[in-house]
Each structure stands twice: as structure tokens, then as C-alpha cells.
Amino acid sequence: MKLIWFILIFILISCGQKEISTEVWKKPVITISTDKESYVAGDSVSLDVSLVEPNDSIDVQLLVTHSHGESVYPYVLSAGDNKIIIDPNLTQKRGHIFTQILSEGHPIGQKQLSIKPRDPYNLVESYSGPATIESSGIDWHLVTAIVKDEFDNPVADGTPVSFTIRYPDGYVRRVNKKVEKLLNGVRIDATTKAGKIFTGIKSETAHSVEREVLVTPTWPNPFQLEIIDYLPFAEQRQVLKLRTSIIRDRYGNTIADGTTINFEIKDEDDLISNFVSYSVSGRGEVQIENPDKATFWEIFAYVDQSNRSNILNLSFDQSIREIPISYDSIESQLVFGPVLGPLEQFVANGVILSFELKPINAKEWNTYTGELIHGYYYWNIPMKSYVSGSYECKAYIGGLDSHFSFIYTNPND
């Protein structure tokens, strides 16, 4: 009985087992060829694949390794000759393309192709620096060119590039060079002439945009300070006009517009004033209000403390001889004037008069101002502010002063 059960169990186990496959993968035999070993970017590339074994068709994958990564495409190879076209988007970048044909995950053939750049196309990329150099005969400038084809590939080494350089003095220099390691460039030699240097680049039918570098003057030489308009009186309605000679550097270049020029004034009390101007066509100009009192000015200009002009010594005399003051008891007003200038003329309308008023025994002054018209200023004494009594008055115009005492009668008293 046990023997019967053992036989039945063996039969059941034998019936449940699957048949083990002994079939071994056999590598297909193919050949791969192309019409040439190298192509120009953007060319159509095809692989001629011949399936030698087996005699029937097989499923394969084409693995392409290119500049952007890897791409896989399924194909069916028929017995005999086959043509596989590589996606043209994969051939637009210079470098190498590696192709492999896989069968059931196994490589069965491979081919390497070289992609070369096309001819120069459209715009030549150019870079330059620095943007500004000095006309010192020492500074220089570099222009770099990157010539590319229509697929944005840097062109092949040995491609000719022409540089044309125009200097500020009109001299034109032409330099022919060849691309080396993807780049090309030219050094623009130093110059002592201020202005602009322009550079153009050409390679076959490709051209660059215009490049320019500004050549600035070097540090200026000493210069002269000139008087344009000067009235030697202490009258603030008058203006002293000064300008510099044309300021140049040691090579004769005019300084750049907008250069800061300082004008410094020291008076007889050693008080210093500074005025700023900006150069236009190499000159600086400034207008300075005359002083309000007689004084002496020492004036010079400078770009920096090492580049000063000559010194001008100017005197300003008192323009007003005196400030007459009187009291009009009928009108209850103070009369200032006539205030005359150096030519016995009324001073200009608008001259500001300052004056103070207080009772004789008081300590504090009340201060007022007025504007002279035709040499006079009339001031009505306010009856609400001042009672009858003796008063002192002081008047000032610039550095000149005048004193006056009077007895005031308030009409309301």
C-alpha cells in the first residue's frame, strides 16, 4: 500500500514540472558601413546594414550617442541589405557620433562618425575689453572673435579671420589670423591719440558688429586761468566770470568733457571758498558773485592738487561811499539815501539794505531789511511799535555801515 502511494506522489510531482529550455541565444551577424567617415554638420547620414545571419528578419534597436546624450530607435532588419537614416537633428553639432545596433540587449555592431562644422555663417560673435583705455602709449585693448556656422558650431581651426582697426588719428590697420582652438583675437596696440578705436571682423560671409574702445586723455598738464568779466567793486549784483585755457595732457589731447575743475578763492581774512565747474571742449568756466564788502581775492583752479593753474590776485573796492540817513518828522519815516555808486550814480535797483533800530537807552536792536529803488528806501515807523523818544539807527550795505540818531514823535502821543 505504501508503495502505491509513493508511485502516485512521484507521478504527480513529475507532471507539475515544466520543461527546461536548452535553447542558447545566437548572435546575429551584420556588417555596417557608410559612404564616408566624416560629415559636415547638418548632412544626411545613413548606415548601410547588411544582415548576414540569420536568413529571416530580426528586431533590433539603434543606439546613437551624440552631443546631447543618447537616443534609441527600434528597427526591423531584413535579410540582406538595409539602410538606416540617422535623425538629421543629431548631426547638427560638431564632434563624434557613436552608433550601436543591439539585438535582445546585446551589441551586434557599431560605427563611429565624425561631424565637422560648416563654413562661417551670418554673425561673428565678438568680445572686447577693457571698454576704456588711456592715451598713455602703454594701455592696450583685446578683441576676441568666435566664428560659428549656421548650427552654432565654432568653425574649424585654420579658418581665416580678418580684423580691421581704425585709430583716432585715422590710421587703419588690417590683421589676418586663423582660428585656433575655437577662438581668435587681436591685440590693439597702445596709442597716444585720444578718441575712439573702431574694430570690424570678417570671416568669409560672416561679419561682426562694430566694436569700439574709448581712448581717454591722460592726466592734464598745468593750465592758465583767464578773466572773462571783472568789475572791481564790492557789489553783489555784479558777477566775476573766469575760465580756464584749453586743458590738455602731455600728448596734446584735450581733457574729456565733464572733467571736474575746482576754483578756489582765498580772501584777505584767509576764508576759503570753492566753486566747481565741468569741462566742455577742454575748458572750465565759472561765474562768481562779487563780494559784498571791500576785500582782496587770491584765485586759482585745479583738476587735482598736482595740476594747478596760475594764481589771479583781484581787488574789490567799496562801491558805496556812504549811506545817508534822515528822519522825516512830517511823514514819520526814516529815509535812507541817496546811496550812490563809484560813478556818482544811484546804485542798482534791488540792492538790499539792512538796518537796526532801538531806543537810545535800550540794549536790544530790532532788525529790518529793505530794497533800494533809485538810490532810496523809505521806511514808515510803525506807530504801534514805537513811542515818542530818542532812537538810534544803524544801516548796512555790504561792508559799509552808517549811524544815525533822532527824536521820534509818535502822532498818537
Side-chain angles (χ1 to χ4, degrees):
M1 189 68 178
K2 290 181 179 180
L3 179 62
I4 294 173
W5 278 107
F6 178 79
I7 293 172
L8 289 173
I9 292 171
F10 179 79
I11 292 171
L12 290 172
I13 293 173
S14 300
C15 291
Q17 289 180 339
K18 293 183 178 179
E19 183 179 353
I20 299 174
S21 175
T22 59
E23 182 179 351
V24 179
W25 176 78
K26 184 177 181 180
K27 179 180 179 179
V29 179
I30 64 172
T31 61
I32 304 176
S33 63
T34 55
D35 57 351
K36 51 187 177 181
E37 295 298 318
S38 64
Y39 293 82
V40 176
D43 277 357
S44 176
V45 178
S46 63
L47 300 177
D48 295 320
V49 182
S50 179
L51 178 60
V52 179
E53 294 181 4
N55 294 327
D56 55 348
S57 62
I58 60 172
D59 293 327
V60 297
Q61 294 84 38
L62 173 66
L63 173 64
V64 182
T65 304
H66 48 86
S67 298
H68 296 298
E70 292 183 337
S71 301
V72 179
Y73 303 91
Y75 283 94
V76 176
L77 289 182
S78 303
D81 296 334
N82 298 265
K83 188 176 289 294
I84 297 178
I85 306 299
I86 296 178
D87 185 348
N89 292 323
L90 306 183
T91 70
Q92 294 181 356
K93 294 299 180 183
R94 63 179 288 171
H96 294 282
I97 291 180
F98 299 93
T99 62
Q100 275 189 325
I101 294 180
L102 308 177
S103 175
E104 297 186 16
H106 301 283
I108 60 175
Q110 63 183 16
K111 186 71 175 178
Q112 177 178 318
L113 305 173
S114 175
I115 305 297
K116 296 182 178 180
R118 302 183 76 87
D119 293 334
Y121 178 79
N122 199 9
L123 178 67
V124 175
E125 289 187 14
S126 59
Y127 305 91
S128 61
T132 303
I133 61 175
E134 280 192 350
S135 57
S136 60
I138 300 175
D139 284 359
W140 54 273
H141 181 78
L142 180 66
V143 177
T144 302
I146 302 178
V147 185
K148 297 184 178 181
D149 66 12
E150 60 183 288
F151 296 113
D152 209 33
N153 296 300
V155 297
D157 284 0
T159 301
V161 181
S162 175
F163 296 83
T164 303
I165 306 155
R166 183 181 181 86
Y167 287 87
D169 59 2
Y171 171 68
V172 176
R173 175 188 172 208
R174 290 181 173 84
V175 180
N176 296 315
K177 303 190 76 174
K178 293 184 178 180
V179 173
E180 182 178 353
K181 297 180 180 179
L182 310 183
L183 297 174
N184 204 336
V186 63
R187 170 173 163 161
I188 297 178
D189 296 330
T191 178
T192 57
K193 178 67 175 178
K196 288 184 178 180
I197 297 176
F198 298 95
T199 305
I201 308 171
K202 176 182 179 297
S203 182
E204 297 185 14
T205 60
H207 304 264
S208 73
V209 297
E210 183 180 79
R211 287 286 172 187
E212 68 176 52
V213 56
L214 179 64
V215 184
T216 62
T218 58
W219 214 239
N221 280 337
F223 53 93
Q224 295 295 307
L225 185 58
E226 307 168 354
I227 298 174
I228 302 174
D229 194 6
Y230 164 52
L231 189 65
F233 296 102
E235 166 57 68
Q236 288 187 302
R237 293 177 62 86
Q238 303 301 324
V239 174
L240 169 66
K241 296 181 181 180
L242 303 172
R243 74 176 179 188
T244 68
S245 60
I246 296 177
I247 305 174
R248 306 179 188 274
D249 66 12
R250 60 175 173 159
Y251 299 107
N253 298 305
T254 302
I255 62 171
D257 285 355
T259 299
T260 301
I261 302 173
N262 294 276
F263 294 78
E264 186 169 293
I265 299 175
K266 183 170 72 172
D267 65 16
E268 60 187 14
D269 296 324
D270 288 334
L271 295 177
I272 295 176
S273 301
N274 191 276
F275 300 84
V276 176
S277 175
Y278 300 96
S279 65
V280 176
S281 301
R283 293 181 184 269
E285 185 172 318
V286 71
Q287 297 185 22
I288 304 170
E289 189 179 76
N290 278 22
D292 61 356
K293 64 179 181 179
T295 188
F296 174 83
W297 280 1
E298 183 179 274
I299 309 174
F300 67 90
Y302 62 91
V303 176
D304 81 319
Q305 291 295 345
S306 62
N307 296 96
R308 294 190 174 195
S309 73
N310 56 308
I311 297 176
L312 296 178
N313 295 307
L314 303 180
S315 295
F316 295 89
D317 297 327
Q318 186 64 53
S319 61
I320 299 173
R321 295 183 179 181
E322 60 178 345
I323 309 173
I325 307 174
S326 60
Y327 169 61
D328 186 341
S329 58
I330 298 175
E331 300 293 338
S332 294
Q333 63 182 197
L334 287 173
V335 180
F336 301 89
V339 181
L340 303 177
L343 303 179
E344 300 294 335
Q345 83 283 18
F346 288 135
V347 295
N349 290 343
V351 171
I352 300 300
L353 168 79
S354 298
F355 63 96
E356 298 176 333
L357 184 66
K358 76 176 182 66
I360 287 181
N361 295 324
K363 294 183 178 180
E364 295 185 358
W365 295 83
N366 295 324
T367 303
Y368 305 92
T369 59
E371 187 176 298
L372 293 174
I373 303 296
H374 300 311
Y376 285 88
Y377 176 69
Y378 301 91
W379 184 67
N380 293 315
I381 301 174
M383 292 181 290
K384 292 182 179 181
S385 302
Y386 293 94
V387 298
S388 299
S390 298
Y391 287 86
E392 283 186 273
C393 178
K394 294 181 181 179
Y396 307 90
I397 297 178
L400 186 66
D401 62 80
S402 181
H403 295 257
F404 177 68
S405 298
F406 66 99
I407 297 175
Y408 168 60
T409 302
N410 191 315
N412 293 332
D413 290 348

